[in-house]
Amino acid sequence: MKNLLQAAASLLFCGFMSAQTNKISGKITNSEAKPIDAILVSLLAANDNLLIKTTFSEPDGRFQFDNLSNNSYIVVIEDPNYKFYKSETILINGNNFSLPDIQFKNMEKNELAEVVIVKKKPFVEQKIDRTVVNVDAMISNAGSNAMDVMEKSPGILIDQNGTITFKGKTGVSVFIDDKPTYLSGADLEAYLKSLPASTLNQIEFMTNPPAKYDAAGSAGVINIKTKKSKAKGFNGSLSSRFSKGKKDVNRNSLNLNYTNGKIRLYGNAGFASQESITDLYIFRRYKNDDQSTKTLFYQNTLLTGKNKSANAKIGLDYYVSDKTTLGISFTGLSQSGHNKSNGSSELTNAESVLDSTIVADNNENKKFKNGGITLNYSHEFNGGKILTADADFLNYSDAISQRYRNYVYQPDNSLSSSDESTGELPSKISIYTFKADYVHPMKKEASFDTGYKASYSKTDNVADYSDIIDGNAVPNYDTSNHFQYDEVIHAFYFNFNKSYQRFSFQAGLRLESTISKGNQLGNIEKPASRFERDYTNLFPTAYVMYKLDSIGNNSLVLSYGKRINRPYYQDLNPFLSPLDKFTFYSGNPYLNPSFAHNLEFSYRFKSIFSTTLSYSKSKDEINETIEINDGIYYSRPGNIGKSQYLSLNAQSDFEVTKWLSAGIYTEVTHTDYKSDLYTEGLNSSGTFFSFSGNTRFMIDKGWSAEMVGRYTSEITSSQFTLGALGTINIGIQKKIFHDQGSLKFSVNDIFYTSIRNGVINNLKNTDATWKNKPDSRFVALTFVYSFGKTFQSKSRERSGAEEEQGRVKN
């Protein structure tokens, strides 16, 4: 393998040849012809004013845009100290273009800046290896949270457990600023709901991420990029939102930035207070071996909660020189909540004659904390070569206290029995990572990247359950346990990209070696057990783009990637957690990593329209599985032997008139699953259709509005059939305080159609259905205000702990 990588690297470096083409360059000076450093320069498409790239002028005043597609462009410079600048239209078609020196004069005190052009960002943008959603392009995103924004994004579905499906597939890794969240399911949902949308800039969706990214996530990677101010001086923004449905939700956030000389200090904080309510209905029909009805089970549970969360981040960048930057940042998150589950279950015979009624009164108090430290270093060498390094330490702690009470009543409402149990579930996860990346630009529109990453993760989980008998707590050793898990991953990658005439190529290879150890300590009644795994895998990625015309308005893109989906840390934990006496949740220490091969072929027209045909094949895909044993319902993660997905989607985001824009996304996906599953064989398949659309209105005098809708038909997902659902949302906004502030009013799920329901299949002698009615219809009022004095400046911020964060549940 070593010789193979050396040979490949040697071949790639042989690409040093003639001078680079397809670039635009220029120089900025002041009225005394002295160069101006750190001025923000924007490159726009000439035909529709869409923002293509931004860069900053160097200490010598020069700036440059490289690797441009054949197209027509304009260069725009906006700075509060100087007059507005807009270049003439620049045609790039295999050539370089050097602008005449741009000489700025200081703005006179009584002189207003001329507004010549508005840089417009569409809701969705397409790049060779990803789809990008611009968060601020939609009014209804204001004052909401990261989970709400993600759910409105093309190709995304979120089920009642918070599981994210991307283009019909589960197993997606969620990143925040290239750092994995280490969370999944309902815990990831709670975390993303704690992040205010006002702190988000973009969301990137990558089915086949480049080799630089960790190979984790069989369905790909979702990278949420937060806002980073690039302005000198002191500036910031604040946001406050109140929403009212059946319950109340309040979210507040503050972003601050100070830059002066060689120092940049930045930070943000958010606080949320939320009450929740959900109605859950469950029906089960237990059958005899001849499939005749044996008994019927009806359950209605009211899930309520009061939760508070606070998150903060503070960072410092020190510019040692124009080429070297050192940085440090601290992140923190604290969540606390009290959740109640009050349910009533009826058990009848085959003729629906009541046998007994079970009333459940369950309470849970939860505290979750996360803290992190990131150190980063960046140095730019001559010729645009860049070396970066990141070190991270992350710590997660969780403390859960549970109390379960069950009361069994006879048909005459007399109490026949009762039981009570308690649980204490502390857990801790520590993660250490180091990452280094090197980028080497080459001649003839080519570049070579390489890097290394090491990570060490350690988890420690305890579950102490007790039965309350005659007022005394008696340990329950069947459900109590102590589980520890350690994991070490080493990764190395290289990536090469090049443009030649109408072709653009990108290829990469990533090697990951994983060593893991699990230790179930057991107790006085259950023996201890251990397991170890050691595996090394190669993960290739490849992209080819061909422009069908000389200026690149029409293009074809073909991409391939191999992915891995490692189990979430807590999913390996064999703990048994009861919901009530009929329903239990458990981990699975025997989970294997899953592997997927993803292939996509796309056609794109400008930034207006794209259509993509996708195929994916997975082995041992990790999914929720359900087992019925003696009438008891056990939910645990399991490996699905073989899974296949075939999907066709079309997407368009376009301007109808100057005051009306629209976006449309449609998808048709066929799924197929085959696996051995407990006592039953799984052989399920189905086709579903999804549609989402948004209409954005620019009204006069600072007013704007939007309407968003989506519909998804019935979905077959491994053991589950998910019912159809849809929703329609509207919003209106008014700019205030000389456009520095805004008020936004929105209504979510106007017709209350976002009700989730489904069928659980492949259960031994059992039929099961469910319906989940969340508090999805609400009104919201949001206030946003920006303040401070700004002057453009450079900014860098990174972290290397990417894949590991996506595997923690809080």
Side-chain angles (χ1 to χ4, degrees):
M1 173 56 62
K2 181 179 179 181
N3 292 335
L4 175 63
L5 295 176
Q6 288 176 342
S10 298
L11 288 173
L12 293 174
F13 275 105
C14 288
F16 284 86
M17 290 182 290
S18 62
Q20 191 180 54
T21 59
N22 278 47
K23 66 182 179 182
I24 297 174
S25 59
K27 182 179 180 179
I28 305 172
T29 64
N30 61 18
S31 57
E32 299 175 352
K34 294 181 179 179
I36 306 178
D37 180 21
I39 292 291
L40 180 67
V41 186
S42 301
L43 183 69
L44 279 63
N47 58 344
D48 53 12
N49 295 336
L50 287 177
L51 182 63
I52 305 299
K53 290 184 178 182
T54 59
T55 189
F56 291 90
S57 60
E58 298 297 330
D60 61 359
R62 299 187 182 277
F63 64 88
Q64 184 169 296
F65 296 102
D66 296 317
N67 301 320
L68 300 178
S69 303
N70 291 334
N71 207 341
S72 297
Y73 300 95
I74 55 175
V75 172
V76 170
I77 303 175
E78 293 176 278
D79 188 279
N81 292 315
Y82 304 103
K83 289 185 177 181
F84 179 88
Y85 171 82
K86 174 193 172 187
S87 73
E88 299 296 328
T89 299
I90 303 168
L91 178 63
I92 294 295
N93 189 10
N95 62 296
N96 297 331
F97 188 90
S98 180
L99 288 164
D101 285 0
I102 303 168
Q103 189 175 52
F104 276 130
K105 295 182 179 179
N106 290 334
M107 187 79 70
E108 298 295 334
K109 291 183 179 180
N110 60 350
E111 193 174 18
L112 295 176
E114 179 187 3
V115 179
V116 178
I117 195 167
V118 176
K119 297 188 290 289
K120 299 178 293 182
K121 276 201 172 185
F123 176 53
V124 177
E125 296 179 82
Q126 294 287 349
K127 299 185 179 181
I128 187 173
D129 56 3
R130 68 197 67 188
T131 299
V132 180
V133 169
N134 294 302
V135 175
D136 288 340
M138 295 188 67
I139 295 171
S140 58
N141 288 337
S144 63
N145 57 71
M147 195 67 167
D148 293 337
V149 176
M150 191 180 299
E151 192 166 15
K152 298 172 187 174
S153 301
I156 295 296
L157 298 173
I158 300 174
D159 70 12
Q160 75 284 355
N161 298 318
T163 301
I164 299 171
T165 300
F166 181 32
K167 294 185 178 179
K169 288 189 62 180
T170 58
V172 65
S173 289
V174 178
F175 288 50
I176 308 290
D177 287 328
D178 292 324
K179 294 181 61 175
T181 55
Y182 298 109
L183 308 171
S184 71
D187 303 303
L188 175 61
E189 181 181 24
Y191 175 70
L192 293 177
K193 285 183 176 179
S194 73
L195 300 180
S198 61
T199 65
L200 309 183
N201 181 34
Q202 294 178 327
I203 302 182
E204 299 177 329
F205 298 90
M206 293 173 275
T207 306
N208 295 317
K212 178 180 179 179
Y213 283 84
D214 298 306
S218 58
V221 166
I222 298 175
N223 184 34
I224 301 173
K225 299 175 70 173
T226 60
K227 293 177 179 176
K228 302 175 182 67
S229 175
K230 302 173 182 178
K232 286 184 179 179
F234 174 74
N235 58 87
S237 65
L238 59 88
S239 172
S240 181
R241 165 168 153 155
F242 175 79
S243 63
K244 177 69 175 179
K246 295 178 181 177
K247 297 292 183 177
D248 300 340
V249 179
N250 179 241
R251 304 185 188 280
N252 305 277
S253 66
L254 175 67
N255 302 295
L256 298 173
N257 181 80
Y258 175 75
T259 303
N260 190 10
K262 294 189 174 184
I263 297 293
R264 173 182 174 243
L265 183 66
Y266 58 92
N268 60 67
F271 174 78
S273 176
Q274 177 175 354
E275 296 181 53
S276 61
I277 182 169
T278 300
D279 266 335
L280 176 63
Y281 301 89
I282 294 174
F283 169 75
R284 299 171 191 161
R285 182 169 74 97
Y286 300 103
K287 298 179 288 187
N288 299 303
D289 289 338
D290 63 1
Q291 300 304 295
S292 61
T293 300
K294 182 178 181 180
T295 56
L296 301 173
F297 176 82
Y298 304 87
Q299 184 181 72
N300 177 213
T301 304
L302 186 66
L303 306 170
T304 59
K306 292 183 177 181
N307 297 275
K308 294 182 178 180
S309 66
N311 61 282
K313 180 175 185 176
I314 186 170
L316 174 68
D317 286 337
Y318 175 67
Y319 304 108
V320 180
S321 68
D322 294 329
K323 302 289 186 180
T324 304
T325 303
L326 298 175
I328 184 171
S329 65
F330 302 86
T331 58
L333 170 67
S334 177
Q335 296 175 336
S336 63
H338 175 70
N339 300 305
K340 298 186 67 175
S341 172
N342 296 320
S344 176
S345 306
E346 292 184 349
L347 191 64
T348 75
N349 64 15
E351 287 73 36
S352 297
V353 176
L354 184 64
D355 175 78
S356 59
T357 301
I358 302 93
V359 175
D361 179 15
N362 303 326
N363 290 269
E364 178 182 275
N365 291 309
K366 183 174 184 177
K367 292 183 178 180
F368 173 79
K369 294 181 179 180
N370 161 229
I373 301 174
T374 297
L375 301 172
N376 58 66
Y377 164 84
S378 175
H379 180 74
E380 182 176 345
F381 301 90
N382 293 334
K385 300 181 287 290
I386 299 175
L387 174 66
T388 61
D390 306 272
D392 294 84
F393 168 67
L394 302 160
N395 183 74
Y396 297 81
S397 63
D398 205 353
I400 301 175
S401 297
Q402 301 171 330
R403 182 173 292 272
Y404 302 98
R405 299 182 181 92
N406 290 281
Y407 306 90
V408 180
Y409 294 91
Q410 295 302 311
D412 61 0
N413 287 328
S414 61
L415 181 66
S416 62
S417 65
S418 65
D419 60 78
E420 182 177 352
S421 62
T422 61
E424 297 294 331
L425 289 80
S427 66
K428 183 178 180 180
I429 301 175
S430 298
I431 299 169
Y432 306 82
T433 71
F434 172 78
K435 179 182 179 183
D437 299 286
Y438 175 71
V439 179
H440 191 113
M442 302 169 67
K443 297 180 180 180
K444 278 204 166 181
E445 299 182 73
S447 68
F448 175 80
D449 308 352
T450 188
Y452 167 79
K453 179 181 177 181
S455 68
Y456 170 63
S457 306
K458 181 179 181 64
T459 73
D460 193 341
N461 305 272
V462 176
D464 286 330
Y465 283 104
S466 299
D467 297 323
I468 307 301
I469 301 175
D470 296 328
N472 298 313
V474 179
N476 186 326
Y477 294 110
D478 284 335
T479 53
S480 296
N481 212 327
H482 188 177
F483 179 73
Q484 297 173 335
Y485 178 79
D486 293 353
E487 181 182 80
V488 177
I489 301 176
H490 294 276
F492 169 78
Y493 78 89
F494 68 82
N495 193 73
F496 174 75
N497 66 74
K498 176 175 174 56
S499 295
Y500 176 74
Q501 295 182 356
R502 295 187 182 184
F503 282 97
S504 295
F505 306 93
Q506 182 171 305
L509 184 66
R510 186 178 185 91
L511 182 147
E512 292 191 354
S513 177
T514 306
I515 301 173
S516 61
K517 298 178 180 180
N519 184 12
Q520 184 178 338
L521 300 182
N523 52 51
I524 62 175
E525 293 185 3
K526 298 178 68 174
S529 63
R530 295 173 177 266
F531 68 85
E532 295 186 10
R533 294 193 179 98
D534 185 347
Y535 51 93
T536 300
N537 304 98
L538 288 172
F539 300 93
T541 56
Y543 313 83
V544 179
M545 183 170 71
Y546 177 71
K547 299 170 186 174
L548 296 174
D549 54 73
S550 60
I551 61 174
N553 284 338
N554 297 271
S555 61
L556 300 175
V557 180
L558 179 66
S559 68
Y560 164 78
K562 180 184 176 183
R563 310 290 298 164
I564 186 175
N565 196 31
R566 297 182 181 89
Y568 292 105
Y569 298 123
Q570 288 92 332
D571 282 351
L572 295 166
N573 189 333
F575 294 170
L576 198 65
S577 176
L579 177 64
D580 55 43
K581 65 186 304 177
F582 300 102
T583 306
F584 292 84
Y585 296 94
S586 172
N588 182 356
Y590 303 107
L591 280 175
N592 293 314
S594 66
F595 295 88
H597 298 268
N598 301 327
L599 183 67
E600 287 194 343
F601 179 68
S602 301
Y603 164 74
R604 298 171 183 174
F605 174 66
K606 297 184 178 180
S607 297
I608 298 175
F609 174 80
S610 68
T611 182
T612 301
L613 180 65
S614 306
Y615 174 75
S616 178
K617 185 176 182 179
S618 300
K619 179 182 179 182
D620 290 333
E621 179 178 305
I622 300 172
N623 215 322
E624 181 186 6
T625 64
I626 307 297
E627 179 186 17
I628 293 287
N629 191 353
D630 294 330
I632 306 299
Y633 174 108
Y634 295 92
S635 172
R636 64 175 68 91
N639 289 116
I640 305 298
K642 295 180 180 179
S643 309
Q644 294 186 85
Y645 304 83
L646 181 63
S647 178
L648 177 65
N649 69 69
Q651 175 187 303
S652 182
D653 198 273
F654 54 93
E655 184 179 88
V656 181
T657 69
K658 291 184 178 180
W659 55 270
L660 176 63
S661 300
I664 298 173
Y665 177 85
T666 60
E667 174 186 335
V668 178
T669 298
H670 179 78
T671 60
D672 187 82
Y673 305 89
K674 291 181 173 63
S675 183
D676 293 328
L677 195 64
Y678 305 116
T679 59
E680 310 298 306
L682 177 65
N683 188 355
S684 62
S685 62
T687 301
F688 74 87
F689 167 78
S690 179
F691 170 84
S692 63
N694 64 82
T695 306
R696 307 181 294 275
F697 305 88
M698 297 300 296
I699 310 171
D700 197 14
K701 297 182 179 179
W703 287 91
S704 57
E706 72 176 18
M707 181 171 66
V708 180
R710 68 183 304 159
Y711 170 80
T712 303
S713 66
E714 184 178 275
I715 298 175
T716 299
S717 179
S718 64
Q719 201 177 351
F720 303 88
T721 301
L722 309 177
L725 75 149
T727 183
I728 293 179
N729 312 324
I730 60 172
I732 188 167
Q733 170 182 279
K734 176 66 171 73
K735 293 284 188 179
I736 57 177
F737 301 141
H738 304 289
D739 290 345
Q740 287 187 280
S742 65
L743 280 174
K744 308 177 184 185
F745 177 78
S746 60
V747 183
N748 193 80
D749 195 12
I750 297 174
F751 303 107
Y752 197 40
T753 51
S754 187
I755 297 175
R756 305 176 187 275
N757 62 86
V759 178
I760 305 172
N761 305 301
N762 296 87
L763 299 174
K764 183 178 181 180
N765 290 338
T766 306
D767 296 331
T769 63
W770 54 270
K771 178 183 287 188
N772 189 319
K773 300 175 67 176
D775 186 15
S776 59
R777 180 165 56 186
F778 57 83
V779 297
L781 182 65
T782 305
F783 171 71
V784 179
Y785 181 71
S786 300
F787 56 88
K789 188 176 182 180
T790 64
F791 305 94
Q792 298 301 329
S793 177
K794 296 182 181 179
S795 169
R796 296 186 179 101
E797 180 189 348
R798 297 177 321 279
S799 170
E802 291 142 351
E803 187 261 336
E804 294 75 19
Q805 271 185 310
R807 295 171 57 204
V808 178
K809 294 181 176 181
N810 67 339

